[in-house]
Amino acid sequence: MITATANSISIATIRREGGDLIVDWLNQHQQSFYILGSCYLSSPQQIEEIFYRTILYAQKELPRFKSKMRFETWVTSIFVHNCREVSRDKSKESGARQGIFKALDQLQQDEKAAIVLTYVQRFTQEEAAYLLQVSVGKLKELLTSGIQKLKNEVWSGSNFHGCMEYQKDYLDYLEQTMERSKKIDLEVHIYGCQQCQEELAAFQDVISTLSNLTDRIEDLHMPTDLMENIKEKLKENEKYRQQKNKKRKRMGLVLGSAFAILIGIGFITGTFANLYYSWTEEDPELISFLQQDLGQRLNLEAENEGVKITIKSVIADDFQTLIFYEIEDTVEDSQYMMNYDNGMLVKNGFEIMNNSTYPRYYPPDLESDVNNREKNVYRGKVSMLPLNTDSATIEIQITGLYKLIRNSSESQNFMGYENIENKTGEWNFEIPVTKKPSTVYTVDEVIEIEGIPIRFEKLTVAPTATTIQFSINHGLTEKRINNLNLNNLEVNNKKMEADMYGNSYVDLQQDVNWTTFQTHFDPLFGEKPKEVNVQLESANLTFDIKKTIELDDNREYPQTFEYAGSTISIDKQEDEQSTNIIISNRELENRAYETFHYNFVNEYGGSSSAMEMNSEAVLVDKNGVTYELNQPDFRYEELEQPRYFTTVDSAKFYSENDIPKKMEIYGYQTTKYLDDVVKLSLKSQIKEKK
């Protein structure tokens, strides 16, 4: 692990010795950083790419670095930032990951970063807080909530909950940093509280497991030629950098003097803009932005490997930096798209972008007219992080593009790029951009669903999106709403569908009993909202209904039990090496639960640790039509409000001591369809902000 030891090295020394020392230093610490990368990614190729990006960025920024932080702290911050960028699409990783790494994928990004920095990389809480740009108090909150989730996911399955007033002290107690009086008070309480005893032990177990990930480096199968591959890529990059022309071509639209006069007259009268952009631009969505003066035509070009990329325009606001682009294959009839998570690097992203949020996802659009006119041209858009300043020049390096395959289920599946042929090369851009303001309206509307309060708080009208912010109360112990899906937003009789990929958690420091979310809708061009209605779609709920099932070996398997109105089967299969427990319920009609949370308990009363866990599930749309997950003839985004039903869970045990004697169910999740329309009263308008 990276600690402040004799191996620590100052940035001044690195500057004096040169960039090669960065490579040598990472070579010495490659195991530690490979484990760090594995906390975010399962692909060795992606982790190798993180090493490569980190070295390139560190070498580039080293001459301008003025901070007094330790070199290892600085490099780790770069490494973690790159990991977070690449791992945003969790669906690509979760299927192949198990145990602690799969559990880490379920955390919020700041929770994960706090945990890996503090317990995997073993930074002090002060250093970890500095890297995350939060207070030490906030860091402890992130650590506590993250450990709670890991405990529930991997260890105990949330069958016990310690006393809330003492949970905040667990970390200080385990790290032996508590004041004596508080320590005595906690120990007296723990002595008489079994729930806190068990939860504190689980906290210690989680922290110990995280701190000892170094011992599992062999299980991670770190490539033996990791650094050799990276050094070869660095050599190729340096060779190409020396050969390329420093001056990048920019093509501008040159207008004749008569046409320029016509434009001038048109802008003065306010009648020519629509015609002008319809003559000079093909993408109707981009035309709408340009007509509202929300962006400007750029037409920045770069060409490599027979592929020309043109940055058409950029629009920036508080939610994202939206780039419209065109990619032309000048050699073959192929269409390519850009993906922010892979193949794109914002070289100055640390300085100019807000890294505490996430860019929106826009799937490839092969249905539009503009992408069906030419076989070798694709016009699309890509979302990047929002700016943290009013204006900037974005330095982008593109090293990979994704080939779009028509008439193939692979090309249509959500983020299904792994098996699609990509295009490598290097395209560099410097993109000037100015952030546009947003208008925020306060809302004060409270409703209840299943007796759980939900309050609507804020309507934001931004150039690239309209958003509704709402909070869900989770103070009830027996049930809670995990997420609320909105169907559409109607403003001044104009209806806008909710963005399928635009529902997100908002990290706000407020009452601990409320969790805040934000739903995105299409932009509201030129509209000042007066009448605002939001239609609800569905709510995902958890009901904490507990049940213990004894696994009686004196009875013949399969056995059955009743839970949440369903009959569920348990089967037990044994061979010389293992015991496999199979839980199944394929009856979906009128089934109350979609999936339930459970834990196996061994004969000693502890949690049974399954070495292998697998599950089967189906999707069921609102009309009751069932879809197998491996079924190739449907697109998820076209299903009407699909629900995810688990049909089979299996757990394999290899140790005799782990063979479970009972199963404890803690609760179940389900979806409630809604069609309520909530009228929102706009209480006040907060001044426009950038």
Side-chain angles (χ1 to χ4, degrees), residues 77-92:
S77 71
I78 299 171
F79 195 92
V80 170
H81 172 78
N82 285 323
C83 286
R84 292 175 68 164
E85 284 194 334
V86 172
S87 66
R88 282 194 186 94
D89 177 23
K90 295 181 182 180
S91 65
K92 286 192 277 188

Side-chain angles (χ1 to χ4, degrees), residues 63-74:
R64 294 190 287 274
F65 191 82
K66 294 181 173 62
S67 174
K68 294 183 179 179
M69 77 165 70
R70 292 188 294 122
F71 173 72
E72 43 266 69
T73 307
W74 181 58

Side-chain angles (χ1 to χ4, degrees), residues 317-320 357-358 360 386 438 440 455-462 465-472 483-486 498-508 515-521 689:
D317 58 21
D318 293 314
F319 296 111
Q320 63 182 327
T357 184
Y358 311 100
R360 294 174 66 187
S438 304
V440 182
R455 65 189 184 200
F456 291 87
E457 301 165 332
K458 189 185 296 183
L459 169 72
T460 301
V461 179
T466 306
T467 67
I468 288 287
Q469 179 179 302
F470 59 91
S471 294
I472 301 173
N483 191 27
L484 175 68
N485 296 311
L486 308 183
D499 184 347
M500 180 179 183
Y501 310 111
N503 203 21
S504 59
Y505 164 77
V506 180
D507 186 12
L508 294 178
T515 304
T516 303
F517 297 87
Q518 193 172 71
T519 299
H520 289 249
F521 303 86
K689 63 172 186 173

Side-chain angles (χ1 to χ4, degrees), residues 377-430:
V377 177
Y378 178 77
R379 298 172 181 88
K381 60 186 176 183
V382 62
S383 175
M384 302 191 303
L385 295 171
L387 297 178
N388 59 18
T389 182
D390 289 344
S391 61
T393 297
I394 307 172
E395 299 175 10
I396 294 181
Q397 182 182 65
I398 301 167
T399 56
L401 303 171
Y402 289 95
K403 186 175 182 180
L404 298 173
I405 311 299
R406 292 181 179 272
N407 301 320
S408 167
S409 60
E410 284 184 357
S411 66
Q412 303 297 323
N413 287 340
F414 171 60
M415 290 303 290
Y417 302 131
E418 288 83 349
N419 299 318
I420 297 177
E421 178 184 350
N422 59 11
K423 184 75 173 180
T424 58
E426 184 171 328
W427 300 264
N428 292 282
F429 295 94
E430 292 182 357

Side-chain angles (χ1 to χ4, degrees), residues 33-65:
F33 278 90
Y34 194 86
I35 293 170
L36 176 57
S38 298
C39 291
Y40 287 88
L41 305 159
S42 63
S43 164
Q45 292 76 23
Q46 287 183 323
I47 299 176
E48 180 181 302
E49 179 65 19
I50 298 301
F51 273 81
Y52 175 65
R53 289 189 187 189
T54 300
I55 292 170
L56 285 182
Y57 187 90
Q59 289 177 338
K60 178 178 180 294
E61 294 301 314
L62 194 60
R64 294 190 287 274
F65 191 82

Side-chain angles (χ1 to χ4, degrees), residues 356-370:
S356 64
T357 184
Y358 311 100
R360 294 174 66 187
Y361 169 69
Y362 294 105
D365 179 12
L366 294 177
E367 307 298 326
S368 63
D369 292 339
V370 295

